Amino acid sequence: GAGVSQSPSNKVTEKGKDVELRCDPISGHTALYWYRQRLGQGLEFLIYFQGNSAPDKSGLPSDRFSAERTGESVSTLTIQRTQQEDSAVYLCASSDEAQGFRNEKLFFGSGTQLSVL
Amino acid sequence: GQQLNQSPQSMFIQEGEDVSMNCTSSSIFNTWLWYKQDPGEGPVLLIALYKAGELTSNGRLTAQFGITRKDSFLNISASIPSDVGIYFCAGHGGSQGNLIFGKGTKLSVKP
């Protein structure tokens, strides 16, 4: 597609349930990022995928958070046993990067607004 | 870890006025970027700065990379209603570093 696509755009869940968020990056973009944006806050880095390299998981806040990416395409972010503090907008971004060099020009999706009741 | 302090947190201005916002860091960055986020959308890159002292314009927007490499500012001239949104600064420390984002400046424009 023309841009980064995320689904669902909104997700309401009950505390303790698992949720899965999806991201379709721009075709041909090798790098994919997940960020979390809490209300009124900046973007908090979660995880980074680049090609076949091991992902950079240094931003994941707990072991309830995990993410996968199939090749250089779709990525899913999974949050297990959701808590109220997980409520936020989860943004995905992709960029066209050479191996070993991070490109700061990220293209963002519109995000998934997650609300945990 | 690295942090960015962005100010002001919010601005409410009259249409036609000029706007200035800035970002400071506790550490040096190699690249400074400014993004704008419209309501319900993801951030969009406005300007990227790569060299200390660099001054770059994009239409009515002008941004500068501070000489110390620890700060940057963004100016918007003759603001219009569609300038409304949240402006984020972001710093990049190097080839392997992650983008660090400020908390944003929320701009509201009164027609």
Side-chain angles (χ1 to χ4, degrees):
Chain A
V4 177
S5 177
Q6 290 188 245
S7 62
S9 54
N10 282 283
K11 177 73 177 176
V12 180
T13 190
E14 293 179 350
K15 178 181 170 182
K17 297 277 176 113
D18 297 351
V19 295
E20 195 172 274
L21 313 179
R22 177 187 168 108
C23 173
D24 272 286
I26 292 173
S27 177
H29 278 191
T30 56
L32 186 147
Y33 298 75
W34 283 98
Y35 284 85
R36 178 169 69 178
Q37 185 178 24
R38 290 195 162 117
L39 187 64
Q41 300 295 313
L43 280 66
E44 177 188 359
F45 167 76
L46 296 178
I47 190 169
Y48 161 74
F49 295 92
Q50 164 60 289
N52 295 319
S53 301
D56 177 353
K57 304 179 182 180
S58 60
L60 294 179
S62 78
D63 59 8
R64 295 187 296 104
F65 288 72
S66 62
E68 292 184 349
R69 187 182 186 193
T70 309
E72 293 184 353
S73 59
V74 171
S75 174
T76 55
L77 176 69
T78 301
I79 309 173
Q80 295 178 309
R81 305 181 302 281
T82 52
Q83 304 294 312
Q84 287 181 333
E85 64 262 26
D86 298 335
S87 296
V89 175
Y90 289 83
L91 289 161
C92 175
S94 71
S95 72
D96 183 12
E97 297 182 5
Q99 281 284 355
F101 182 77
R102 296 200 188 182
N103 183 352
E104 66 282 348
K105 293 183 178 176
L106 305 186
F107 293 83
F108 284 86
S110 298
T112 294
Q113 171 73 64
L114 175 66
S115 301
V116 182
L117 304 179
Chain B
Q2 293 175 314
Q3 292 190 7
L4 292 183
N5 295 310
Q6 190 170 349
S7 65
Q9 271 189 307
S10 62
M11 302 181 74
F12 192 77
I13 63 170
Q14 294 278 354
E15 183 178 354
E17 285 185 359
D18 296 344
V19 171
S20 185
M21 59 190 80
N22 68 79
C23 211
T24 58
S25 167
S26 57
S27 54
I28 288 171
F29 285 115
N30 293 330
T31 305
W32 281 95
L33 305 109
W34 287 90
Y35 283 82
K36 184 195 176 196
Q37 185 176 30
D38 290 326
E41 300 293 328
V44 173
L45 180 65
L46 298 174
I47 291 180
L49 301 156
Y50 300 101
K51 193 173 164 185
E54 180 182 353
L55 185 72
T56 296
S57 293
N58 178 7
R60 292 178 297 106
L61 277 60
T62 302
Q64 186 158 28
F65 191 141
I67 290 290
T68 65
R69 294 166 64 195
K70 290 185 178 182
D71 64 315
S72 177
F73 73 74
L74 175 71
N75 287 342
I76 306 173
S77 62
S79 57
I80 60 178
S82 62
D83 290 335
V84 162
I86 302 177
Y87 291 80
F88 290 100
C89 62
H92 193 252
S95 64
Q96 294 300 319
N98 291 314
L99 265 186
I100 308 296
F101 282 84
K103 292 189 177 181
T105 294
K106 185 175 181 180
L107 181 63
S108 302
V109 178
K110 186 177 180 181

